[in-house]
Amino acid sequence: MDERHPETLPSLVMTTEAEACRVAARHLAERLSLPCLDWAETADRLVLNLTPTRLELLARERGRGQPVFVEFSAAIAQARRQEGLKQTLARAIGLKGGVRPDVLDATPGLGRDAFVLAALGCRVEMVERSPVIHALLEDGLQRARREGLPEAARLTLTLGDARAHLADRCATHAPPEVIYLDPMHPERTKAALVKKEMRQVRSVVGDDPDAAILLQTARAQAAHRVVVKRPRLSPPLGEMTAHAVVTGRTVRYDLYFATSAISD
Ligand SMILES: C[S@@+](CC[C@H](N)C(=O)[O-])C[C@H]1O[C@@H](n2cnc3c(N)ncnc32)[C@H](O)[C@@H]1O
């Protein structure tokens, strides 16, 4: 049983509708230790579906369901560049003028925040611990590379727990300038529920009850700052009071500066 979401995590299965994808789907199922079922056997299931164009997560209980996949596109990059350095995420990370810090995204999920930062010119190292979410990210990144998106060259992806990764990384690399955290938020009332997409991700990865420990590790490692995304009115993660806050319409970014950055 998964400690991150006991009892409620539905069992995910791999499938494909396309004859041409069968072998690849079987290999991926093996790699992810998922059962591989025929499409016809997966009605009412949460599935990882390999189509000829992408890998997607699909909750089939409501008919065909709304696919969830990683979308790195030129149109999204262009839109976020137009929003520029005033957008709250850019301000929280510390982008200004020609300053583009290197970011380690320790909770990349569907990669949307990482992609925004890459579109604005940052190099972003994504470290995702869920093998299924990592597979979705890998698929999105491969498509972006095939399309020749410049953002793809600024994004790297590693499978693993960010806490262990940070501990190993410090032996061989300079500390990351900025570490970004957006752990799963606690489930709230129905009206305030996070977007449907994120609910589907939650049904695969569960909650992130160890997020406060990740924040402690990140604070010990970041050269400049750690940025934590929170729902606007939530208490700070692990009740660790932030040094500064950037508040948006629905979310808030809590900033923790490295000691060396405070005394600079
Ligand atoms: C809320 S989602 C992040 C959404 C993301 N910011 C986006 O823009 O799509 C949180 C993700 O962080 C991952 N995660 C949580 N703790 C982690 C850790 N210690 N190491 C690596 N990944 C982690 C979860 O598996 C999940 O995929």
Side-chain angles (χ1 to χ4, degrees), residues 143-194:
R143 280 183 278 115
R145 290 202 175 119
R146 277 200 297 273
E147 286 163 29
L149 288 192
E151 289 74 21
R154 291 194 281 275
L155 289 166
T156 58
L157 174 64
T158 303
L159 172 63
D161 189 287
R163 269 167 62 205
H165 179 85
L166 279 166
D168 293 348
R169 189 188 183 283
C170 72
T172 48
H173 291 70
E177 290 175 311
V178 176
I179 301 179
Y180 179 65
L181 309 187
D182 174 18
M184 273 304 164
H185 305 143
E187 192 89 45
R188 288 168 288 155
T189 64
K190 227 177 184 165
L193 267 180
V194 277

Side-chain angles (χ1 to χ4, degrees), residues 4 105-114 127-130 133 160-163 180 182-185 198 201 205 208 210 214 229:
R4 278 179 261 153
D105 186 344
T107 57
L110 296 174
R112 277 174 304 205
D113 294 329
V127 184
E128 171 58 54
R129 71 177 166 192
S130 156
I133 303 300
D161 189 287
R163 269 167 62 205
Y180 179 65
D182 174 18
M184 273 304 164
H185 305 143
M198 231 359 103
V201 172
V205 306
D208 291 326
D210 54 350
L214 177 60
K229 187 177 185 178

